[in-house]
């Protein structure tokens, strides 16, 4: 596997030797001083070019970066699905190579660059042949820090969490596994993860990032809370699913009460109490039940 020095040398030398490429900058985890370094980090690169047409016309030009295992061209995929795209100003290539390295390469015109350069605060300039890249501050992940919720947002999260659990419950009783699983993973977990993030944020003065999709939860949660979080994932067996639901409820309750205390909010305990009783009742309902309560 080519190391970082080799990859960066290849990326920059390609730009230096191609007159169409006038500037290069990078963003993503490799520019984030707080992101852990590992072998799976992508190279998120932008080439500022004089035009995009000749790059797009020559599908083999990316071969210079190595032997491809797979490539994705999101703009081309979107266009083929009927979405109107503007290839004239920008185009992207997501490339995974046989040695395990990955480059997410975006080409854009100077006009496109001027519109968005620096909007991502993790941007770092690498090459500027014509001094066209505006001056920007040093990279920071501040835009990715957990945002402190208002009480209204907090209460809404709690309400949606407890309300939508009844959908999960009825899906299990009806033996509708896809529905109940997706309701849990796409709705309930979304609210749980918000609360986990707010709990972590409240412990760090909202000066930290939990990472994309909560990938740093384990780093910031206490060991006991992390063990509970792990148990919120279950298999296809309904008994295991029910057990994970009640662990989820317990974890959400503990975190939410703590967040409420730290931020001087009021936790809606009545919704919690009533829905917990309801869920326990539904779990014990026979499959031929004629009444819920």
């Amino acid at each position: 596997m080519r190391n970082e020095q080799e990859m960066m040398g290849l990326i920059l030398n390609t730009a230096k030797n191609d007159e169409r490429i006038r500037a290069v900058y990078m963003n993503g985890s490799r520019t984030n001083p707080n992101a852990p370094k590992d072998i799976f980090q992508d190279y998120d690169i932008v080439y500022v070019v004089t035009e995009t047409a000749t790059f797009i016309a020559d599908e083999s030009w990316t071969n210079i970066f190595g032997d491809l295992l797979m490539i994705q061209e999101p703009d081309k995929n979107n266009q083929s699905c009927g979405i109107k795209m503007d290839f004239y100003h920008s185009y992207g290539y997501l490339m995974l190579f046989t040695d395990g390295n990955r480059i997410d390469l975006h080409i854009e015109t100077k006009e496109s660059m001027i519109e968005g350069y620096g909007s991502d605060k993790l941007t770092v300039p690498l090459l500027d042949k014509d001094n066209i890249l505006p001056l920007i501050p040093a990279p920071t992940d501040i835009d990715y820090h957990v945002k402190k919720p208002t009480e209204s947002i907090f209460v809404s999260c709690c309400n949606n969490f407890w309300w939508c659990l009844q959908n999960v419950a009825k899906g299990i009783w009806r033996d509708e596994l896809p529905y109940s699983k997706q309701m849990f993973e796409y709705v309930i977990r979304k609210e749980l993860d918000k609360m986990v993030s707010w709990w972590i944020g409240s412990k760090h003065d909202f000066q930290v990032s939990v990472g994309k999709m909560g990938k740093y939860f384990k780093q910031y949660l206490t060991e006991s809370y992390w063990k509970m979080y792990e148990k919120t994932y279950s298999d296809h067996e309904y008994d295991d699913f029910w057990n994970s639901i009640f662990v989820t409820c317990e974890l959400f309750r503990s975190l939410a009460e703590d967040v409420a205390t730290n931020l001087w909010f009021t936790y809606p305990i009545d919704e919690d109490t009533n829905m917990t009783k309801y869920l326990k009742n539904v779990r014990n309902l026979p499959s031929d039940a004629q009444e819920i309560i």
Side-chain angles (χ1 to χ4, degrees), residues 11-19 21 24 47 126-127 129:
I11 290 165
L12 289 175
N13 285 333
T14 298
K16 291 175 183 177
N17 295 329
D18 193 324
E19 285 300 308
I21 303 171
V24 185
Y47 281 169
L126 300 177
L127 176 68
K129 297 177 181 178

Side-chain angles (χ1 to χ4, degrees), residues 4-259:
E4 183 177 40
Q5 183 178 1
E6 291 174 298
M7 291 300 293
M8 292 305 297
L10 174 60
I11 290 165
L12 289 175
N13 285 333
T14 298
K16 291 175 183 177
N17 295 329
D18 193 324
E19 285 300 308
R20 298 171 299 174
I21 303 171
R22 307 313 300 168
V24 185
Y25 62 92
M26 180 166 66
N27 45 40
S29 65
R30 287 187 179 273
T31 67
N32 185 352
N34 295 319
K37 307 299 181 184
D38 64 35
I39 57 175
F40 283 99
Q41 283 183 297
D42 309 335
Y43 294 86
D44 295 297
I45 303 295
V46 180
Y47 281 169
V48 182
V49 297
T50 54
E51 45 78 23
T52 61
T54 57
F55 290 95
I56 297 171
D58 177 15
E59 295 184 351
S60 67
W61 83 272
T62 57
N63 293 342
I64 193 171
F65 298 110
D67 296 327
L68 280 169
L69 183 68
M70 185 171 178
I71 186 170
Q72 183 180 90
E73 298 173 62
D75 302 285
K76 179 189 289 186
N77 289 348
N78 287 340
Q79 185 181 67
S80 68
C81 292
I83 301 173
K84 186 176 181 180
M85 303 299 297
D86 180 9
F87 294 176
Y88 178 80
H89 287 99
S90 65
Y91 195 80
Y93 306 84
L94 310 181
M95 299 175 285
L96 178 63
F97 301 97
T98 55
D99 70 345
N101 275 299
R102 172 176 160 176
I103 300 177
D104 289 358
L105 178 62
H106 189 76
I107 58 172
E108 64 181 11
T109 61
K110 177 182 175 181
E111 293 73 24
S112 180
M113 176 274 293
I114 290 174
E115 289 180 8
Y117 184 71
S119 58
D120 182 345
K121 290 186 173 63
L122 288 175
T123 298
V124 173
L126 300 177
L127 176 68
D128 192 353
K129 297 177 181 178
D130 309 315
N131 294 318
I132 58 174
L133 297 178
L135 292 176
I136 56 174
T140 173
D141 65 353
I142 190 172
D143 285 346
Y144 301 92
H145 288 177
V146 178
K147 303 297 188 293
K148 182 188 294 186
T150 64
E151 185 163 15
S152 295
I153 291 175
F154 171 82
V155 170
S156 176
C157 171
C158 295
N159 180 261
N160 202 43
F161 176 86
W162 291 110
W163 172 258
C164 289
L165 277 168
Q166 49 114 3
N167 293 324
V168 179
K170 72 181 180 185
I172 296 175
W173 184 81
R174 290 170 172 169
D175 191 21
E176 297 170 344
L177 184 66
Y179 171 84
S180 54
K181 276 289 187 182
Q182 291 187 62
M183 181 61 65
F184 183 87
E185 291 300 335
Y186 291 111
V187 179
I188 302 303
R189 188 170 300 284
K190 178 182 177 181
E191 305 302 346
L192 172 65
D193 286 356
K194 285 181 188 176
M195 198 60 67
V196 172
S197 300
W198 293 336
W199 184 88
I200 292 170
S202 71
K203 298 299 181 184
H204 296 272
D205 197 27
F206 293 93
Q207 298 297 309
V208 295
S209 166
V210 296
K212 187 176 183 178
M213 299 180 181
K215 62 182 180 179
Y216 302 145
F217 280 174
K218 185 176 182 180
Q219 177 181 334
Y220 289 110
L221 285 172
T222 63
E223 183 177 357
S224 60
Y225 280 161
W226 175 250
K227 292 297 182 184
M228 292 175 70
Y229 189 85
E230 288 180 317
K231 292 177 181 177
T232 65
Y233 292 94
S234 67
D235 57 25
H236 65 284
E237 296 290 345
Y238 285 134
D239 278 343
D240 294 336
F241 193 3
W242 272 117
N243 290 338
S244 73
I245 289 170
F246 284 108
V247 170
T248 300
C249 292
E250 182 183 354
L251 177 58
F252 185 90
R253 178 185 305 114
S254 298
L255 297 174
E257 288 180 336
D258 205 3
V259 170

